[in-house]
DNA sequence: GAGTTTGAAACT
DNA sequence: CAGTTTCAAACTC
């Protein structure tokens, strides 16, 4: 995109040119019209080790590197880029699919694929990328035991291959079983079997498959073989929403990070969030670097699990459960993996946690929110599709310190259990009580179907972090609520708890058969999260511009319109119950298994203060309907297939085209199971189409405006940031003072005007974006030009 | 913001 | 299971 001249470009922050490009990735293979983007959130945790080792580069540098890479990708001709950052312990693959729509519609081949290593380290290992089918295969051959060398080298033999729309991540540990993330072709042919509802067209899905032969098996935890077997349908959980050409939907970002820890090292993780295509390493001041790592025990066979934990809990069918096992005493170094074969049958997604000692952690994270991700330094999670429900089970017996972090936009919860007494590892950034608990390690990988893992350390008190008042940090991101919950067994379980099905929130599970007295309490992740909400401060360097008000303090975060469209997880709407005490399914909070938080309800019992009543209510509901807490709609996002109301609606007067209709509300069409009368919510329905168009138009408008504003503000702030220092040093840059408020406003107006114009003329979004960017280029040119001129004058005067 | 409409949940 | 009531959200003005 030649919006800005090279000359100008050199003067501008990379981000200016990069952001947009990175945001969208067109996958137009055979079907140009259906661009499918795979929105994923990328939470790329970086272990603190990596920070250290990679340290040659400052975070900022990394960011730049990342952006640079991204920029490179966006070059004409290349369609998607893959960024691999092989920091010592980490390995991130980020297929950024770049692009401004304008440039993108060409080939699908990945010829332009760029692989770059972030930080100072380069990948020494061979990576193979095959553009063939949009498939990325990550093969990890390295063993966890690898020591420093291994770290440095990242993982030997990594193969990344992108073919079609499949994204394969293969981890070949000793077991040699690869993990494959597959993105089926979107063209309308489901790459994989779909259970789509009656009406919908197939949508791309993200699947995890082990290459080993079994069909879809997500590999959890250990690299070894089958840890958990998920049903094919479960794998579908990750759904990739189809992107409408017109709307700027979330970009596809995918980051896979694999961390290899050397033995004995305590895993520390820092998170590298990818923001708008950029990779930023953040350190959270609040948290200790410690973290949850996904460990991939190489040597362990899944089944050989010496007494460690297990984790499986099936929750609601569609819901995802995260099981965390608590590490047993730190002393054990042996790797323990847990095999969790159980529950496979349930249609649920199971997350197995494995506790391996010093194994190499693998982290995979996908996120959908491009923009504001703040990642806690501590955990890793793989993102799934919105709406998933996770449960957090906290062992009652032991009360671990739990710190949960939720990443905004991503539906992951990060949990850390730390022993209270532990000392902090030296060098860890302000981590209040971090324990260096190295022992508990971690966990899991999850990809859509497979969820995450949690490392847990023995802990004793469960600590919930209270939200800290946001102080000065200019950029604070609030975590959004998600519905995820984690199940964390506190004490080592030797056995798997077979049926957690339908666990309602708050349910207390009794101990496992193994004789341990561990009880589990299911706590809505949110609850924990809620407490912590404002806790994260973003260090994101780039813009300190408060204007980008992505900052919210928790209370009512209206998740600002910014990227709202792209943000999958936004804070749930507060309920307003008055008579149900929020203990009936009338209450959305309760129905979703969440505690009320920031709600407007009266006489609310849906909180920890009323656990007894709450549990009773839950039981009552379950008695009435065992599936009461299961999501009514399949996962997946707005999109397309696979989603349908479990019971169907029963509308009589709304024509199923109002939000009264649960189908419509969920943005899905009615299916044969609906018992609605006068339904107009079906594929061919003209009324529906009309409505959709209107809605789309409105959405696009909003998105464009917000996107433009956001982008602009961040770019401007970047610009200011960059120029400011230079001025003082008398460098060759332009005086930032030329970017005055007036100038900014004028620029904004120009851009908005451009947007309006595009909209009025009904131009496609791509075109609109192009025009806006172009306009921006012009504005910048003007600014720079006048600034430069002034500078010259200035100089002459001084002389 | 008050009042109405709506359909799921709860109840009988 | 069907019919009715209750409820909170969606919608309207
Ligand atoms: Zn409520
Ligand atoms: Zn509530
Ligand atoms: Zn409430
Ligand atoms: Zn309906
Ligand atoms: Zn319906
Ligand atoms: Zn209908």
């Amino acid at each position: 995109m030649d919006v800005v001249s090279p000359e100008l470009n050199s003067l501008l922050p990379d981000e200016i040119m990069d952001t947009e490009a990175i945001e969208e990735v067109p996958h137009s293979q055979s079907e140009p019209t259906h661009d499918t983007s795979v929105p994923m959130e990328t939470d790329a945790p970086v272990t603190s080790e990596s920070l250290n080792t990679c340290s040659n580069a400052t975070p900022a540098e990394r960011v730049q590197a990342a952006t640079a890479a991204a920029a490179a990708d966006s070059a004409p001709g290349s369609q998607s880029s893959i960024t691999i950052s092989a920091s010592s312990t980490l390995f991130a693959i980020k297929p950024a699919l770049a692009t401004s729509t304008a440039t993108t519609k060409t080939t699908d081949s990945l010829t332009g694929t760029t692989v770059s290593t972030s930080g100072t380290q380069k990948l020494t290992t061979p990576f193979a990328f095959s553009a063939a089918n949009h498939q990325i295969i990550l093969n990890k051959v390295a063993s966890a035991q690898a020591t420093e060398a291994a770290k440095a080298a990242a993982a030997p033999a990594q193969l990344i291959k992108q073919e079609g729309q499949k994204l394969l991540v293969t981890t070949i540990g000793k077991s040699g079983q690869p993990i494959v993330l597959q993105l089926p072709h979107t063209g309308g042919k489901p790459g994989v079997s779909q259970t789509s509802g009656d009406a919908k067209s197939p949508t791309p899905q993200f699947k995890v498959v082990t290459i080993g032969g079994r069909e879809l098996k997500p590999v959890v935890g250990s690299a070894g073989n089958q840890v958990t077997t998920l049903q094919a349908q479960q794998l579908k959980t990750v759904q990739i929403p189809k992107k409408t050409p017109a709307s700027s939907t979330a970009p596809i970002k995918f980051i896979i990070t694999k961390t290899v820890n050397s033995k004995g090292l305590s895993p520390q993780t820092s998170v590298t969030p990818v923001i708008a295509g950029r990779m930023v390493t953040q350190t959270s001041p609040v948290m200790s670097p410690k973290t949850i790592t996904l460990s991939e025990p190489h040597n362990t066979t899944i089944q050989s699990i010496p007494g460690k934990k297990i984790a499986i809990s099936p929750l609601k069918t569609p819901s995802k459960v995260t099981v965390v096992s608590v590490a047993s005493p730190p002393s054990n170094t042996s790797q323990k993996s847990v095999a969790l074969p159980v529950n496979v049958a349930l249609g649920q997604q199971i997350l197995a946690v494995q506790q391996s000692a010093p194994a190499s952690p693998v982290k995979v994270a996908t996120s959908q929110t491009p923009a504001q991700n703040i990642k806690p330094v501590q955990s890793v999670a793989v993102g799934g599709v919105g709406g998933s429900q996770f449960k957090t089970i906290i062992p009652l017996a032991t009360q671990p310190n739990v710190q949960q972090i939720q990443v905004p936009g991503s539906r992951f919860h990060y949990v850390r259990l730390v022993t209270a007494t532990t000392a902090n590892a030296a060098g860890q950034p302000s981590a209040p009580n971090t324990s260096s608990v190295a022992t508990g390690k971690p966990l899991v990988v999850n990809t859509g179907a497979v969820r995450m893992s949690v490392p847990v350390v023995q802990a004793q008190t469960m600590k919930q972090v209270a939200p800290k008042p946001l102080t000065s940090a200019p950029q604070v991101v609030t975590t959004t609520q998600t519905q995820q919950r984690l199940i964390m067994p506190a004490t080592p379980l030797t056995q798997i708890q077979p049926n957690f099905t339908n666990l309602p929130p708050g349910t207390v599970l009794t101990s496992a058969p193994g004789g341990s007295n561990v009880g589990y309490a299911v706590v809505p992740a949110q609850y924990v999260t809620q407490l912590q909400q404002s806790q994260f401060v973003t260090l994101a360097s780039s813009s300190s511009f408060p204007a980008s008000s992505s900052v919210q303090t928790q209370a009512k975060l209206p998740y600002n319109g910014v990227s709202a469209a792209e943000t999958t997880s936004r804070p749930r709407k507060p309920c307003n119950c008055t008579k149900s005490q929020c203990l009936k399914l009338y209450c959305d909070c309760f129905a979703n298994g969440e505690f009320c938080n920031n709600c407007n309800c009266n006489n609310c019992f849906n909180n920890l203060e009323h656990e007894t009543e709450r549990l009773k209510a839950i039981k009552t509901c379950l008695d009435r309907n065992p599936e009461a807490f299961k999501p009514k709609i399949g996962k997946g996002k707005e999109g397309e297939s696979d989603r349908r109301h479990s019971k169907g609606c029963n509308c009589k007067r709304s024509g199923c085209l109002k939000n009264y209709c649960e189908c419509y509300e969920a943005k899905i069409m009615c299916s044969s199971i609906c018992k609605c009368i006068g339904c107009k919510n079906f594929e061919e329905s003209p009324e529906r189409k009309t409505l959709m168009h209107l809605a789309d138009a409105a959405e696009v408008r909003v998105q464009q405006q917000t996107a433009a504003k956001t982008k602009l503000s961040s770019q401007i702030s970047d610009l200011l940031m960059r120029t400011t220092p230079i001025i003082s040093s008398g460098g060759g840059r332009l005086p930032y003072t030329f970017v005055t408020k007036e100038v900014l406003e004028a620029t904004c107006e120009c851009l908005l005007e451009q947007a309006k114009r595009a909209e009025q003329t009904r131009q496609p979004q791509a075109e609109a974006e192009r025009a806006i960017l172009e306009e921006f280029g012009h504005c910048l040119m003007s600014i720079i030009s006048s600034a430069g001129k002034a500078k010259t004058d200035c100089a002459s005067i001084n002389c």
Side-chain angles (χ1 to χ4, degrees):
Chain A
M1 208 186 246
D2 291 327
V3 178
V4 182
S5 66
E7 177 191 8
L8 172 55
N9 187 26
S10 62
L11 298 175
L12 301 174
D14 297 340
E15 289 79 1
I16 291 177
M17 302 308 297
D18 301 342
T19 48
E20 182 114 39
I22 300 171
E23 291 190 32
E24 290 183 286
V25 177
H27 285 256
S28 49
Q29 253 199 332
S30 50
E31 296 167 318
T33 44
H34 294 268
D35 281 357
T36 336
S37 61
V38 180
M40 295 187 219
E41 270 194 353
T42 47
D43 290 342
V46 176
T47 58
S48 56
E49 289 182 349
S50 64
L51 284 178
N52 298 335
T53 49
C54 294
S55 60
N56 292 343
T58 61
E61 290 176 317
R62 289 192 195 174
V63 174
Q64 291 192 349
T67 51
D73 293 342
S74 63
S78 65
Q79 288 222 333
S80 46
S81 62
I82 297 173
T83 303
I84 297 175
S85 77
S87 334
S88 49
T89 37
L90 231 242
F91 190 10
I93 294 176
K94 166 176 87 168
L97 315 170
T99 76
S100 46
T101 21
T103 30
T104 54
K105 278 189 176 175
T106 42
T107 19
D108 234 9
S109 60
L110 290 181
T111 45
T113 303
T114 305
V115 176
S116 65
T117 53
S118 63
T120 47
Q121 294 195 339
K122 297 284 178 179
L123 292 178
T124 52
T125 45
F127 274 86
F129 287 81
S130 96
N133 292 322
H134 278 224
Q135 222 171 25
I136 295 176
I137 298 176
L138 231 184
N139 252 327
K140 177 189 175 182
V141 177
S143 67
Q145 308 276 335
T147 50
E148 298 296 329
K151 281 183 178 182
Q158 308 257 2
L159 168 65
I160 294 176
K161 177 180 188 177
Q162 199 160 2
E163 297 177 354
Q165 297 197 334
K166 296 179 180 179
L167 174 53
L168 301 179
V169 176
T170 312
T171 307
I172 299 178
K174 290 189 172 182
S175 56
Q177 284 216 338
I179 296 172
V180 178
L181 300 181
Q182 180 170 28
L183 300 179
H185 295 258
T186 46
K189 291 130 198 215
V192 187
S193 63
Q194 282 187 344
T195 43
S196 56
D198 305 5
K200 298 247 172 172
S201 58
T203 16
Q205 299 178 344
F206 187 158
K207 299 188 177 185
V208 176
V209 183
T210 48
I211 293 174
R214 299 126 180 196
E215 270 200 354
L216 300 175
K217 286 188 180 179
V219 176
V220 176
S222 67
N225 308 334
Q226 57 277 53
V227 175
T228 313
T229 307
L230 297 183
Q231 294 181 339
Q233 81 182 86
Q234 296 178 332
L235 294 177
K236 291 182 181 179
T237 47
V238 176
Q239 195 170 9
I240 298 164
K242 184 189 203 173
K243 181 184 287 187
T244 315
S247 63
S248 62
T249 51
I252 301 175
K253 297 176 185 177
F254 185 52
I255 294 181
I256 297 174
T257 308
K258 183 181 266 189
T259 310
V260 177
N261 285 336
S262 57
K263 232 186 227 182
L265 293 180
S266 59
Q268 297 178 342
T269 323
S270 61
V271 178
T272 306
V274 174
I275 297 176
R278 286 181 266 173
M279 239 184 8
V280 178
T281 306
Q282 299 175 336
T283 351
S284 137
V286 181
M287 334 253 332
S288 63
K290 194 133 220 156
T291 327
I292 297 173
T293 26
L294 299 183
S295 70
E296 177 181 319
H298 302 285
N299 308 331
T300 322
T301 312
I302 295 172
Q303 315 251 341
S304 62
I305 302 167
K308 276 298 174 182
K309 335 236 139 172
I310 336 151
I312 292 177
S313 88
L315 269 186
K316 309 174 172 188
T317 309
S319 52
K320 302 173 183 174
V321 178
T322 304
V323 177
V324 178
S325 60
V326 175
S328 39
S331 60
N332 62 24
T333 32
S334 60
Q335 300 177 347
K336 304 173 182 181
S337 59
V338 177
L340 330 165
V342 183
N343 304 337
V344 173
L346 304 179
Q348 309 185 339
Q349 301 185 355
I350 299 172
L351 181 47
V353 175
Q354 145 188 22
Q355 179 167 20
S356 55
S360 60
V362 174
K363 298 177 182 182
V364 175
T366 51
S367 63
Q368 286 190 334
T369 330
Q372 40 158 265
N373 284 333
I374 293 175
K375 306 190 168 176
V377 183
Q378 310 182 339
S379 15
V380 177
V382 175
V385 179
S388 55
Q389 297 194 341
F390 289 81
K391 291 205 171 185
T392 303
I393 295 179
I394 300 173
L396 297 178
T398 38
Q399 296 179 340
N401 286 330
V402 176
Q403 291 194 348
Q404 200 175 44
I405 299 170
Q406 186 170 1
V407 178
S410 70
R411 284 161 208 131
F412 305 99
H413 281 273
Y414 296 82
V415 176
R416 171 176 60 170
L417 297 183
V418 182
T419 47
T421 55
T422 24
N424 289 342
Q428 307 212 341
S430 63
N433 19 350
T434 354
S435 51
S436 41
V437 183
T439 51
K441 294 195 168 186
L443 290 300
V444 170
V445 174
N446 90 9
T447 47
V450 181
R451 285 282 171 188
M452 57 184 286
S453 50
V454 179
V456 179
V457 179
Q458 302 175 318
Q460 303 194 332
T461 25
M462 177 172 127
K463 212 183 228 180
Q464 293 184 339
V465 179
K468 290 187 177 180
L470 304 181
T471 46
S472 54
Q475 296 187 348
V476 176
V477 175
T478 352
T479 48
T480 54
Q481 297 179 343
T482 46
Q483 301 174 336
Q484 307 171 347
R485 295 171 232 174
L486 298 178
I487 295 177
M488 307 189 285
T491 48
L493 299 182
T494 5
Q495 299 179 351
I496 298 170
Q497 298 255 327
N499 279 319
F500 282 63
T501 318
N502 300 332
L503 271 186
T507 302
V508 176
L509 304 178
T510 46
S511 60
S516 60
N517 300 330
V518 183
Y520 297 82
V522 178
V523 178
Q526 243 178 354
Y527 177 74
V528 178
T529 306
Q530 295 171 349
L531 296 180
Q532 304 180 337
Q533 282 189 347
S534 44
Q535 193 173 10
F536 309 99
V537 175
T538 315
L539 295 183
S541 53
S542 49
S543 62
S544 56
F545 206 44
S548 57
S549 68
S550 44
V551 179
Q552 305 167 348
T553 36
Q554 80 162 1
K556 292 186 173 184
L557 16 138
Y559 61 91
N560 45 4
V562 180
S563 74
E566 301 179 350
T567 304
T568 0
S569 64
R570 42 220 211 189
R572 171 181 46 72
K573 274 169 56 172
C575 68
N576 300 296
C577 313
T578 57
K579 300 186 172 180
S580 67
Q581 296 182 310
C582 293
L583 290 184
K584 297 227 169 137
L585 295 176
Y586 294 129
C587 174
D588 285 347
C589 303
F590 181 76
N592 288 328
E594 300 168 2
F595 284 115
C596 280
N597 181 41
N598 290 329
C599 292
N600 305 311
C601 41
N602 290 157
N603 197 23
C604 181
F605 276 41
N606 185 27
N607 49 47
L608 281 183
E609 286 71 51
H610 298 83
E611 266 308 276
T612 308
E613 293 89 339
R614 185 167 178 274
L615 292 175
K616 189 175 176 184
I618 290 168
K619 184 176 183 304
T620 302
C621 285
L622 288 175
D623 286 346
R624 189 158 30 224
N625 173 16
E627 310 211 325
F629 295 96
K630 290 185 181 179
K632 290 180 189 166
I633 308 236
K635 304 260 137 163
K637 266 194 115 155
E638 222 154 280
E640 336 281 324
S641 60
D642 230 58
R643 296 184 73 215
R644 97 165 165 184
H645 198 288
S646 60
K647 289 192 301 184
C649 65
N650 200 25
C651 311
K652 305 211 167 21
R653 323 191 54 156
S654 65
C656 294
L657 288 182
K658 292 199 173 177
N659 284 330
Y660 294 128
C661 173
E662 295 195 345
C663 296
Y664 181 81
E665 184 178 33
K667 293 183 168 60
I668 57 178
M669 279 178 280
C670 287
S671 66
S672 58
I673 55 177
C674 292
K675 293 175 283 294
C676 40
I677 297 174
C679 183
K680 291 172 183 163
N681 185 27
F682 54 93
E683 183 72 58
E684 310 301 319
S685 168
E687 290 92 341
R688 189 187 73 88
K689 287 181 179 174
T690 303
L691 219 64
M692 298 297 263
H693 285 147
L694 290 174
D696 282 354
E699 187 183 344
V700 170
R701 190 178 313 150
V702 174
Q703 286 183 6
Q704 287 181 341
Q705 294 190 350
T706 51
K709 287 180 186 172
T710 307
K711 217 168 279 176
L712 221 190
S713 59
S714 68
Q715 289 173 350
I716 289 173
S717 65
D718 277 346
L719 192 59
L720 290 176
M721 291 285 287
R722 296 202 179 199
T723 20
T724 304
I726 295 167
I727 294 171
S728 59
S729 63
R733 297 287 183 117
L734 305 172
Y736 78 101
T737 47
F738 280 82
V739 185
T740 61
K741 183 184 173 191
E742 289 71 23
V743 172
L744 288 181
E745 288 177 347
T747 304
C748 289
E749 282 181 28
C750 290
L751 300 186
L752 286 174
E753 186 54 38
Q754 200 59 242
K756 272 185 202 165
R757 211 173 299 156
E759 189 174 71
Q760 287 173 347
T761 54
R762 304 210 166 196
Q763 298 190 37
Q765 185 173 4
E767 185 56 30
E769 290 178 352
R770 191 193 62 74
I772 294 170
L773 278 177
E774 204 163 336
E775 180 63 29
F776 185 57
H778 291 152
C779 292
L780 286 175
M781 280 298 257
S782 303
I783 296 171
I784 292 171
S785 157
S786 51
K789 201 170 172 186
K791 186 177 166 192
T792 306
D793 294 344
C794 220
S796 59
I797 291 173
N798 290 338
C799 294

